Amino acid sequence: MTPFAEIFHGDRILEIKMQSNEKNTFDFEAFVLFQQILNKHANNPNLRVLLFTSAQTQFFSNGIEPTLMYGKQESDVRRSVEQLLRTAQTYFHFPVPTIAVINGHCMAAGAVFALFSDYRYMVDKGGRIGFSEAIVGLNFPSIPTIVLQDLVGVKATRDLLFTGKQIKGPEAKEIGLVDELFSAEDLYPEAMKFAESLSKLTYNSSRGMKTALREPYRAQMESLFQLDADLFTKVILSPDGQEGFLSLIEKRRPKFST
């Protein structure tokens, strides 16, 4: 089964539905395919809005598939890290409004994709969202840190990153990390209703507003790309980074050496 389903609702709403595995984790091929899908649809003149959804009920996305980073050579880890960053940037700059429909747990790289959406609709119960890198001994790239700070403020960003705390929907809405909360039954219909309202935008409004919101970040993202790639690769390959990914594979708490 392909990791993503591409579903058109009329000719103005595109839904990309993650269906890679039970936790919707991303391996290298999934990052590549997601970027290819985004590039394929970016220049569609009819498109006005993108819904990013999950076929799973318990997880929106649990981020990176841990086997992608454990026990690998430096060149392989760097290739995966750079692909992750490029795919995230491609999604961030997708030329029409994006809505993440967070119907379950949303962690780490999965939370970055949600963060990089223009809107986040989340289930009111049974799901958490967080940037759990610190819990498994990793750092966090500066590019999403900047976006997170602009969204929720420096203090909330500091607390989310240093603690790796995974917060429930009401707290996420309180700090501004998500826009709206709905029951599991109402989440998708309400997101679709909002998507339909955005689909009425003209071509120039849809793309022009997105450009105005995103373009100021472009030069900064490019200037920080190599720094983020170098540092994230180094940390992943460190003993503590490898222990963190091994603990995810073995479903236990990590035992760090430093």
Side-chain angles (χ1 to χ4, degrees):
M1 182 172 64
T2 178
F4 304 95
E6 301 164 62
I7 307 164
F8 268 97
H9 302 272
D11 62 353
R12 291 192 166 203
I13 302 173
L14 171 63
E15 177 180 355
I16 299 179
K17 180 176 292 187
M18 294 179 286
Q19 51 184 25
S20 58
N21 53 51
E22 64 178 8
K23 294 185 178 181
N24 277 332
T25 54
F26 284 78
D27 59 15
F28 183 81
E29 289 72 22
F31 284 128
V32 171
L33 180 58
F34 188 33
Q35 185 178 32
Q36 290 174 344
I37 292 171
L38 293 169
N39 287 333
K40 178 175 71 174
H41 295 290
N43 295 321
N44 180 343
N46 296 318
L47 192 63
R48 298 292 186 272
V49 59
L50 169 64
L51 274 175
F52 191 30
T53 67
S54 166
Q56 310 304 333
T57 56
Q58 190 171 2
F59 283 87
F60 174 73
S61 173
N62 208 39
I64 298 172
E65 172 57 43
T67 57
L68 180 62
M69 299 298 188
Y70 179 72
K72 300 297 191 295
Q73 298 295 319
E74 190 273 343
S75 59
D76 293 328
V77 171
R78 178 174 295 277
R79 184 180 71 141
S80 296
V81 166
E82 290 185 352
Q83 183 62 54
L84 160 61
L85 295 176
R86 286 295 183 203
T87 302
Q89 283 186 242
T90 300
Y91 181 72
F92 182 82
H93 289 291
F94 193 72
V96 300
T98 54
I99 306 169
V101 185
I102 307 168
N103 61 328
H105 300 310
C106 179
M107 304 298 172
V112 171
F113 282 113
L115 171 67
F116 279 9
S117 303
D118 293 291
Y119 296 92
R120 285 155 296 280
Y121 279 25
M122 185 172 179
V123 67
D124 59 355
K125 297 177 182 177
R128 292 176 180 265
I129 183 170
F131 307 91
S132 52
E133 282 78 2
I135 295 175
V136 290
L138 301 177
N139 67 314
F140 194 70
S142 56
I143 292 171
T145 299
I146 293 167
V147 177
L148 185 59
Q149 286 183 159
D150 287 348
L151 183 66
V152 304
V154 174
K155 181 176 180 294
T157 298
R158 175 200 67 193
D159 294 343
L160 285 169
L161 295 187
F162 276 125
T163 66
K165 185 179 180 182
Q166 298 142 45
I167 59 177
K168 297 179 181 179
E171 184 177 354
K173 185 178 181 182
E174 181 180 355
I175 66 173
L177 184 56
V178 301
D179 296 286
E180 300 291 347
L181 299 176
F182 295 100
S183 68
E185 294 76 19
D186 292 338
L187 178 62
Y188 183 84
E190 290 293 336
M192 180 57 72
K193 185 188 301 184
F194 183 57
E196 289 170 348
S197 70
L198 290 177
S199 74
K200 295 179 174 63
L201 289 167
T202 66
Y203 175 93
N204 289 327
S205 292
S206 174
R207 291 173 180 262
M209 300 307 181
K210 185 62 177 274
T211 298
L213 288 165
R214 297 306 205 203
E215 199 61 28
Y217 289 93
R218 191 180 296 274
Q220 195 171 27
M221 284 183 162
E222 289 300 327
S223 70
L224 291 169
F225 180 88
Q226 204 57 56
L227 172 68
D228 279 347
D230 290 347
L231 185 55
F232 203 31
T233 298
K234 180 180 178 180
V235 171
I236 288 170
L237 290 168
S238 71
D240 285 337
Q242 288 294 286
E243 165 60 17
F245 279 109
L246 180 59
S247 72
L248 292 174
I249 294 169
E250 297 181 345
K251 299 179 181 180
R252 59 170 175 78
R253 292 182 179 274
K255 301 173 183 177
F256 298 125
S257 59
T258 60

